[in-house]
Amino acid sequence: MTGLTVAHVNDSHTWRGGERQVLELMKGLRDRGVNNLLVCRAGSEISRRARENGIETAHFPLMGEWDVASAFRMRTFLAERGVGIVHAHTAHAHSLALLALTGNRSCRLVVSRRVDFHIRGLLSRRWKYGASVDRIIAVSDAIRRILIEDGVDAERVVTVRSGFIPDEFTEDRGTDLRSELGIPEDAVVIVTVAALAPHKEHCILLKAAHLVSRSHPEVRFLLAGEGEMRSEIERLIRNLGLRQSVTLLGFRRDIASVYRAADIFAISSSEEGLCSSLLDAMYFRLPVVATRAGGIPELVTDGLNGYIVPVNDHVSFADRLCALIGQKELRERMGARSAPVLERNSIARTVEKTLEVYVEAVGNEKAERQVNE
């Protein structure tokens, strides 16, 4: 789509799965001839990484979804740069883009939605998800179903799953985390990689760990991630007597070392759009124990490449973990079965599907011919 300019709006200061996806998407689109601009906050991690990768950035305050001043500045900027599509990647970016594009139908609006909860409020249903949004990209079929249930026109909602990013690990040998933490080579290590946020429900994993430790006191749990729930999680670890079994790793840049140290990957979320860390774990051939939340069952088939348990059921979670702890061959078989999942959910596929969405949004034959060349 040579000649098309897309402005990607992301207001996040943090560097999480969503920001990784945005950067890799822009790099892939650039390779297909799309001119990308990143609208973001000055000093943000995504801004720094985008500039390192030769992607042009434009900085605005982006102080919440009702930052009218930023929206009007964006409006002028988009017109000056001849932007054909604005792609909003967060909830606040969604609102800001709508404000910036009010009355401007020459520029199309594409919105990504990564959360699997229902639309809250009549204003959101009518304004944020109304006809002013040309296409909505849901990162899982589960999210698409919820949007349609909430009254969004099915023709405007497209599933484009977050893609696995192999480059993140191919050159990162990281450190020997087991040696660093003094974990014996024969000990089973269970890891989770997730922000310490309420919907990740680390409390369920810790309660499961408490049950597991009764019969398998040698098992170690490693929790990688940082966030608002850290103090509460630390308190629960103390209260459950898990200080010898559970280690909080915080934010790790060498995340590959966490996966390499693991035997089992666990995710205990109550809400989950898709969970890109699951794809990362599958790259390292780890069997998975996960909740039936959001798009997780689209990646994990119960009994094939892992186990799926009900949300908020720490007893079932502990039971499935114990089923894997004592069976190394089963862990290896399950871990090996995720290869086709990675093939179906590559970042290259995400780029191609997103291009198709842009063609539909722009709606001209010339763009379609350029995509097919």
Side-chain angles (χ1 to χ4, degrees), residues 271-292:
E271 297 174 348
E272 196 67 66
L274 187 68
C275 191
S276 58
S277 61
L278 272 175
L279 294 172
D280 297 342
M282 290 175 181
Y283 174 76
F284 290 92
R285 295 185 168 229
L286 296 177
V288 174
V289 178
T291 49
R292 192 178 297 279

Short mmCIF file of all heavy atoms in Angstrom, two decimals, residues 271-292:
data_model
loop_
_atom_site.label_atom_id
_atom_site.label_comp_id
_atom_site.label_asym_id
_atom_site.label_seq_id
_atom_site.Cartn_x
_atom_site.Cartn_y
_atom_site.Cartn_z
N GLU A 271 -9.82 -12.21 33.22
CA GLU A 271 -10.10 -11.55 31.95
C GLU A 271 -8.82 -11.58 31.13
O GLU A 271 -7.74 -11.32 31.65
CB GLU A 271 -10.54 -10.09 32.15
CG GLU A 271 -11.84 -9.94 32.92
CD GLU A 271 -12.15 -8.48 33.22
OE1 GLU A 271 -11.24 -7.63 33.03
OE2 GLU A 271 -13.27 -8.18 33.65
N GLU A 272 -8.94 -11.89 29.86
CA GLU A 272 -7.73 -11.98 29.02
C GLU A 272 -8.13 -11.87 27.56
O GLU A 272 -8.88 -12.71 27.06
CB GLU A 272 -7.02 -13.30 29.27
CG GLU A 272 -5.60 -13.33 28.78
CD GLU A 272 -4.68 -12.41 29.56
OE1 GLU A 272 -4.44 -12.65 30.75
OE2 GLU A 272 -4.21 -11.43 28.94
N GLY A 273 -7.64 -10.83 26.89
CA GLY A 273 -7.97 -10.69 25.47
C GLY A 273 -7.48 -11.87 24.67
O GLY A 273 -8.25 -12.59 24.04
N LEU A 274 -6.17 -12.10 24.72
CA LEU A 274 -5.59 -13.27 24.06
C LEU A 274 -4.46 -13.85 24.90
O LEU A 274 -4.33 -15.05 25.04
CB LEU A 274 -5.07 -12.92 22.66
CG LEU A 274 -4.59 -14.12 21.85
CD1 LEU A 274 -5.78 -15.03 21.47
CD2 LEU A 274 -3.86 -13.68 20.58
N CYS A 275 -3.60 -13.00 25.46
CA CYS A 275 -2.46 -13.39 26.29
C CYS A 275 -1.26 -13.76 25.42
O CYS A 275 -1.00 -14.93 25.14
CB CYS A 275 -2.78 -14.51 27.26
SG CYS A 275 -1.48 -14.79 28.49
N SER A 276 -0.51 -12.74 25.00
CA SER A 276 0.64 -12.96 24.13
C SER A 276 1.75 -13.72 24.84
O SER A 276 2.56 -14.39 24.18
CB SER A 276 1.17 -11.62 23.60
OG SER A 276 1.53 -10.76 24.67
N SER A 277 1.80 -13.66 26.17
CA SER A 277 2.85 -14.40 26.88
C SER A 277 2.65 -15.91 26.73
O SER A 277 3.60 -16.68 26.86
CB SER A 277 2.89 -14.01 28.36
OG SER A 277 1.68 -14.30 29.01
N LEU A 278 1.42 -16.34 26.45
CA LEU A 278 1.18 -17.75 26.16
C LEU A 278 1.94 -18.18 24.92
O LEU A 278 2.54 -19.26 24.88
CB LEU A 278 -0.32 -18.01 25.95
CG LEU A 278 -1.17 -18.32 27.17
CD1 LEU A 278 -2.63 -18.42 26.76
CD2 LEU A 278 -0.71 -19.60 27.84
N LEU A 279 1.92 -17.34 23.89
CA LEU A 279 2.64 -17.66 22.67
C LEU A 279 4.14 -17.71 22.93
O LEU A 279 4.84 -18.59 22.40
CB LEU A 279 2.33 -16.62 21.59
CG LEU A 279 0.88 -16.60 21.08
CD1 LEU A 279 0.65 -15.41 20.17
CD2 LEU A 279 0.53 -17.89 20.35
N ASP A 280 4.62 -16.79 23.75
CA ASP A 280 6.04 -16.82 24.10
C ASP A 280 6.40 -18.13 24.79
O ASP A 280 7.43 -18.75 24.49
CB ASP A 280 6.38 -15.65 25.03
CG ASP A 280 6.17 -14.30 24.37
OD1 ASP A 280 6.10 -14.24 23.13
OD2 ASP A 280 6.08 -13.30 25.10
N ALA A 281 5.55 -18.55 25.74
CA ALA A 281 5.81 -19.80 26.46
C ALA A 281 5.80 -20.99 25.52
O ALA A 281 6.59 -21.94 25.67
CB ALA A 281 4.75 -19.98 27.56
N MET A 282 4.91 -20.96 24.52
CA MET A 282 4.84 -22.06 23.56
C MET A 282 6.10 -22.13 22.72
O MET A 282 6.52 -23.23 22.31
CB MET A 282 3.60 -21.88 22.68
CG MET A 282 2.30 -22.10 23.42
SD MET A 282 0.86 -21.75 22.39
CE MET A 282 -0.47 -22.08 23.58
N TYR A 283 6.72 -20.99 22.44
CA TYR A 283 7.97 -20.98 21.70
C TYR A 283 9.04 -21.78 22.45
O TYR A 283 9.89 -22.43 21.83
CB TYR A 283 8.43 -19.54 21.49
CG TYR A 283 9.80 -19.39 20.87
CD1 TYR A 283 9.99 -19.60 19.50
CD2 TYR A 283 10.90 -19.03 21.64
CE1 TYR A 283 11.24 -19.46 18.92
CE2 TYR A 283 12.15 -18.89 21.07
CZ TYR A 283 12.32 -19.10 19.72
OH TYR A 283 13.56 -18.96 19.15
N PHE A 284 9.01 -21.73 23.77
CA PHE A 284 9.96 -22.46 24.59
C PHE A 284 9.46 -23.85 24.96
O PHE A 284 9.99 -24.50 25.85
CB PHE A 284 10.28 -21.65 25.86
CG PHE A 284 11.09 -20.41 25.58
CD1 PHE A 284 10.47 -19.20 25.34
CD2 PHE A 284 12.47 -20.49 25.52
CE1 PHE A 284 11.22 -18.06 25.06
CE2 PHE A 284 13.23 -19.36 25.24
CZ PHE A 284 12.60 -18.14 25.01
N ARG A 285 8.42 -24.30 24.25
CA ARG A 285 7.87 -25.65 24.39
C ARG A 285 7.43 -25.97 25.82
O ARG A 285 7.65 -27.08 26.32
CB ARG A 285 8.89 -26.70 23.90
CG ARG A 285 9.18 -26.58 22.41
CD ARG A 285 10.09 -27.67 21.92
NE ARG A 285 10.11 -27.69 20.46
CZ ARG A 285 9.94 -28.78 19.71
NH1 ARG A 285 9.72 -29.94 20.28
NH2 ARG A 285 10.00 -28.70 18.40
N LEU A 286 6.78 -25.01 26.43
CA LEU A 286 6.29 -25.22 27.79
C LEU A 286 4.83 -25.64 27.76
O LEU A 286 4.01 -25.03 27.05
CB LEU A 286 6.41 -23.93 28.61
CG LEU A 286 7.83 -23.41 28.86
CD1 LEU A 286 7.78 -22.10 29.63
CD2 LEU A 286 8.65 -24.45 29.62
N PRO A 287 4.46 -26.67 28.51
CA PRO A 287 3.04 -26.99 28.67
C PRO A 287 2.39 -25.90 29.50
O PRO A 287 3.05 -25.21 30.28
CB PRO A 287 3.06 -28.33 29.42
CG PRO A 287 4.33 -28.27 30.21
CD PRO A 287 5.32 -27.53 29.35
N VAL A 288 1.10 -25.73 29.33
CA VAL A 288 0.39 -24.59 29.93
C VAL A 288 -0.73 -25.07 30.84
O VAL A 288 -1.44 -26.02 30.51
CB VAL A 288 -0.20 -23.69 28.82
CG1 VAL A 288 -1.06 -22.59 29.42
CG2 VAL A 288 0.91 -23.10 27.96
N VAL A 289 -0.88 -24.39 31.97
CA VAL A 289 -2.09 -24.50 32.77
C VAL A 289 -2.68 -23.10 32.83
O VAL A 289 -2.01 -22.16 33.29
CB VAL A 289 -1.83 -25.04 34.19
CG1 VAL A 289 -3.14 -25.07 34.99
CG2 VAL A 289 -1.21 -26.43 34.13
N ALA A 290 -3.89 -22.94 32.33
CA ALA A 290 -4.47 -21.60 32.20
C ALA A 290 -5.97 -21.64 32.45
O ALA A 290 -6.61 -22.70 32.36
CB ALA A 290 -4.19 -21.05 30.80
N THR A 291 -6.52 -20.48 32.73
CA THR A 291 -7.95 -20.37 32.96
C THR A 291 -8.71 -20.23 31.64
O THR A 291 -8.15 -19.81 30.63
CB THR A 291 -8.25 -19.15 33.85
OG1 THR A 291 -7.56 -18.02 33.32
CG2 THR A 291 -7.80 -19.40 35.28
N ARG A 292 -10.00 -20.53 31.71
CA ARG A 292 -10.86 -20.40 30.53
C ARG A 292 -11.33 -18.95 30.43
O ARG A 292 -12.52 -18.63 30.52
CB ARG A 292 -12.04 -21.35 30.65
CG ARG A 292 -12.85 -21.52 29.36
CD ARG A 292 -13.97 -22.52 29.54
NE ARG A 292 -13.44 -23.83 29.85
CZ ARG A 292 -12.96 -24.69 28.93
NH1 ARG A 292 -12.96 -24.35 27.66
NH2 ARG A 292 -12.48 -25.87 29.29
#
